[in-house]
Structures are given as C-alpha cells and as structure tokens.
Amino acid sequence: TPDAAPGADRTAGCTDREERCAKRFRRSAYSAASSGVGAPSVGDIVRVVDDVHLYDSYSTMAEQLRLSHWQSSIEEQIDGAYVEPLNGDVGIVLATGTHHDTGVPLFGVHIPQRGHDYLFQDLGLKVLARAQVNATSIPATIMREMWASRAASGDATLRAQGGCELPAHACVLAAASPVFEASFASGMREASTREITLPDTAPETVEAVLELLYLGSMPDAADRRCVLAFAHTYSIVEAARFVAPALVASMTLGDACETVRMLRDFDRLGTSFVKMVLDVWGDSRPIMAELLSRM
C-alpha cells in the first residue's frame, strides 16, 4: 500500500461519518489479523461468502487502496444509488491494506457483476483461485534483472571521482532525478553522450544510490551523509527518504545545521523532513538553539 508522508496524521481530513465507521470497526469483535492462513492476495479471485463482513467504503481507505469504482454505502444508500454486493458474488482482489486507525487488514475487491469496488474483512471472502503472479512483485523482478544486466544493457554512464564509470539506464536515472532528466533531454553534451560526470562524488556513494534505485536496498557500509549530499545535489527524493530517518536520529551539534538544511530543501518536493526533525528533536534545547542560531 502507498506510504503516508513521514509523521503524517493518517486520520486528518476524515469526516464525521468516517470517524463513525472507524469507531464501529474498533468495536467489532472480529480481528482479521487472527484469520491466519488463507487470506486473499492481490489478483486472487474470491467469492463473497458472508456479506456481514463488508466494510463501509469511505474516501480515506478508497484513496489508500486506489479504488476507482468505490461507493459510499452510507451516503449513496440515502440517495438510493447504492449497489449492494451479495453472498455468492465473484470478484477479484485489487488491493490490500490496513485500516488507518486500527491497523486491521482490509481487502479491496472489484465485483464485475455489480460494477463497483468494495472493502471486505477476509472472513467475508473465500479464495476460489490464486493469482498466477504476484502483481506487486513484477516491477521488483524487472528492476532486479535490469540491475544484473546493466553492464550490458545500460545506455548511460555515471563517471564518479577518479574517472570510475558506473553503468546505468537513462530511464531509471531520469525517473529518479529531475536534474538527470533535464540533462538527458536538453541540448547539452549529456543528451548525446549519455554520460554524466560527478567529480565530487565517490564511486561507493554513486553505487549505493544506484543499488537503492534498482533494488530498494543500500549497503550497510554506505555513508548515509554522503548519500544525502549526492541526493540533495541531484534532487533524488527517494534516496533522501531512505537515509533521512537514520541521519535525523543520529544528529549532533556538529552536523545538525547541514543535515537540516539539505532535508529542508526536499520539503519543497513533497517530503515532511522538517516535521520529522521537530518530532525527534523539538524537546532538545541544545539542538534547537544551534539550528535557530545558524539557519
């Protein structure tokens, strides 16, 4: 499921009706987490076997699970437009997620016969057929193959300190960094050579960021502060998101200002790093005094 911004209040913006739904859910004696083996997965074909476990759809969960054909079972009932699923209906699991307030698993199911998406707890569903492939693993599989073959299939080169060349794919670099994207799309030398020179960045740092972009992981030995500096220079937001928690947690008087200065710039791109810093260090007078005096 899509992640909320760091420190974001997942209940913010809920309507009174949504809060009533959440309260009703908290009172439920059923815990989907206890259902164990057999819970549906994305892509599974399922049958509705107990519609009492249908959960009122509302905007917060619909947005979280990206349900495009959801309907409000309370508001639309008032208008007489609600299409109710029935026991025996067959559908496909579009997404799985957790309730924003209780953490209990919910399943977004599209039922073609009804033309709508619904939220169910898993006791309301029976799996008829498992998906032949885990849809969420497809991008990861492709990226692993691209990583493994980049020396042969890569069409771009990052030249780090000492002239060390690291192969990559221009499409990956452009997707991760608007700076790289502009370089490849412009009339600059990089657009024709597909080579970007990084004279101030160590090969180990570039390699660590590339591994993160392709595989979603980073070597333990990677210098997180160097990674943040590289990410800041080239606006690589996802690299900053990856290293920020560890850097914020370990800030000292000596590095607090530089760390916060770089993280603050990413907030213009949709992150919440300043809030993260305040959440962690707001009660620390020495750190806050250092930040206020030098920034």
Side-chain angles (χ1 to χ4, degrees):
T1 59
D3 293 334
D9 180 359
R10 297 178 72 91
T11 64
C14 289
T15 66
D16 291 340
R17 183 186 67 76
E18 292 170 350
E19 286 303 309
R20 289 197 301 272
C21 289
K23 289 177 181 177
R24 178 176 68 79
F25 195 54
R26 285 195 294 269
R27 291 196 298 268
S28 171
Y30 169 68
S31 172
S34 67
S35 61
V37 178
S41 301
V42 173
D44 288 354
I45 299 174
V46 295
R47 174 180 287 131
V48 179
V49 294
D50 192 347
D51 56 16
V52 72
H53 294 293
L54 172 71
Y55 185 66
D56 294 327
S57 298
Y58 60 99
S59 58
T60 302
M61 283 304 300
E63 180 179 355
Q64 179 183 337
L65 300 186
R66 299 181 181 178
L67 304 180
S68 58
H69 298 289
W70 74 284
Q71 52 182 346
S72 167
S73 53
I74 292 179
E75 295 174 357
E76 296 194 22
Q77 279 177 356
I78 297 176
D79 299 332
Y82 181 69
V83 180
E84 186 174 2
L86 301 175
N87 289 340
D89 284 352
V90 174
I92 184 168
V93 180
L94 299 179
T96 65
T98 55
H99 185 269
H100 74 273
D101 190 43
T102 65
V104 174
L106 290 175
F107 302 85
V109 178
H110 179 71
I111 299 179
Q113 181 181 356
R114 308 298 171 191
H116 290 286
D117 304 333
Y118 302 90
L119 292 177
F120 282 93
Q121 302 169 32
D122 65 354
L123 279 185
L125 304 170
K126 177 182 179 181
V127 177
L128 300 179
R130 290 292 185 182
Q132 296 299 301
V133 64
N134 182 350
T136 59
S137 71
I138 294 174
T141 299
I142 292 174
M143 292 303 291
R144 282 196 299 271
E145 292 178 354
M146 291 179 68
W147 173 257
S149 67
R150 63 196 175 109
S153 64
D155 59 349
T157 301
L158 297 180
R159 187 182 295 274
Q161 279 179 346
C164 181
E165 297 184 353
L166 296 101
H169 297 86
C171 59
V172 174
L173 299 176
S177 163
V179 179
F180 291 156
E181 180 182 27
S183 296
F184 290 138
S186 71
M188 300 172 63
R189 180 182 61 84
E190 291 86 352
S192 57
T193 64
R194 290 295 204 234
E195 180 179 293
I196 295 178
T197 302
L198 311 169
D200 300 322
T201 308
E204 296 80 10
T205 299
V206 179
E207 182 78 0
V209 172
L210 286 176
E211 180 175 326
L212 177 66
L213 298 180
Y214 281 85
L215 304 181
S217 61
M218 186 177 290
D220 292 338
D223 187 322
R224 266 55 176 173
R225 195 164 304 284
C226 290
V227 167
L228 178 60
F230 180 50
H232 181 262
T233 300
Y234 295 97
S235 298
I236 308 174
V237 177
E238 297 310 318
R241 289 188 198 275
F242 188 86
V243 300
L247 292 177
V248 170
S250 62
M251 278 196 322
T252 66
L253 289 176
D255 60 38
C257 287
E258 183 63 13
T259 299
V260 173
R261 181 187 67 79
M262 289 189 288
L263 291 176
R264 179 188 60 188
D265 290 344
F266 282 102
D267 277 4
R268 301 167 188 161
L269 303 176
T271 62
S272 300
F273 291 145
V274 170
K275 184 179 186 305
M276 180 190 295
V277 171
L278 292 174
D279 287 344
V280 176
W281 293 103
D283 294 332
S284 172
R285 293 179 63 87
I287 289 289
M288 296 310 297
E290 176 72 4
L291 293 176
L292 291 173
S293 66
R294 296 184 55 188
M295 295 188 69

